[in-house]
Amino acid sequence: MDWYGTVFEVIDMRSFSNLWFWIVLAAVWSMASHRVLGVPIDMVTRARRDGGQATLDLEELARINAERQLLLARESGLWMSALVAGVLSMALLLGFLYRVEFAQALFLLGFPLLLVRLLELRAAQRVHNGERHGEALLRLIRAHRVITQMIGMVAIFVTAVWGMYQNLVLGPFYG
């Protein structure tokens, strides 16, 4: 067997039957819901529980991260939008038109993250416009985290259903 065949036998390119894909999927959604606007969720809990300096730290971190995200969107938003649209379009076409399973997995991972990113930019704009203090900021972060978790649950469910379908239809010996 040649080197190329050995590598692809060890590293299974069938994403939906690969344990590493599911670990990455779980880790990505765990990280996406752990940091909302760049603020770790334990910091939100501490600010809600203790108030005082913890709330001031939360407000400052949220403001800094919101301003940073908006600056990046203003400076490179057009280029990043074009790049992301191109990559997701390519993954969509390769995955579902040409039936490349790796591209299907990338699309099912990337598209929901794009939705979360757009919602995060909207939340950053709200922080910039004035929802950066006290209870208003805590409500914004809580709502954004719940929406992120809902998108993640739907994305994991859809990915799992599509992955099971692919594994059942194609079987273990496809390719």
Side-chain angles (χ1 to χ4, degrees):
M1 182 178 282
D2 62 343
W3 182 83
Y4 182 78
T6 304
V7 167
F8 279 98
E9 184 178 320
V10 172
I11 303 171
D12 185 13
M13 292 303 284
R14 291 200 52 225
S15 301
F16 300 118
S17 62
N18 191 336
L19 176 64
W20 290 107
F21 171 73
W22 298 105
I23 291 171
V24 167
L25 183 72
V28 162
W29 284 110
S30 175
M31 287 187 300
S33 67
H34 178 70
R35 287 190 169 267
V36 176
L37 288 173
V39 178
I41 202 62
D42 62 290
M43 197 170 186
V44 175
T45 305
R46 194 173 332 112
R48 178 169 281 123
R49 184 186 61 224
D50 299 339
Q53 186 61 42
T55 302
L56 293 175
D57 292 345
L58 171 82
E59 291 171 352
E60 191 63 22
L61 187 58
R63 185 193 62 77
I64 290 169
N65 284 322
E67 295 297 329
R68 181 179 157 268
Q69 289 179 15
L70 292 173
L71 178 68
L72 287 172
R74 279 191 300 271
E75 288 182 354
S76 62
L78 183 62
W79 288 104
M80 289 303 294
S81 297
L83 179 68
V84 169
V87 168
L88 283 178
S89 296
M90 183 177 62
L92 179 69
L93 291 174
L94 283 173
F96 297 99
L97 186 63
Y98 294 106
R99 301 190 189 283
V100 177
E101 188 173 316
F102 185 70
Q104 291 172 1
L106 286 179
F107 181 80
L108 290 171
L109 184 63
F111 182 71
L113 287 174
L114 173 65
L115 297 177
V116 169
R117 178 68 180 138
L118 292 174
L119 289 171
E120 192 168 283
L121 283 173
R122 183 173 150 252
Q125 186 64 46
R126 288 175 63 183
V127 168
H128 176 74
N129 290 341
E131 291 185 45
R132 66 175 80 177
H133 300 291
E135 192 58 37
L137 179 61
L138 291 172
R139 270 195 316 272
L140 176 67
I141 290 175
R142 183 176 42 236
H144 183 67
R145 182 167 190 246
V146 167
I147 291 170
T148 299
Q149 288 175 331
M150 289 181 355
I151 290 172
M153 286 189 306
V154 170
I156 290 171
F157 177 76
V158 168
T159 303
V161 168
W162 183 255
M164 284 187 286
Y165 171 76
Q166 289 293 98
N167 287 333
L168 289 173
V169 168
L170 298 178
F173 303 109
Y174 179 73

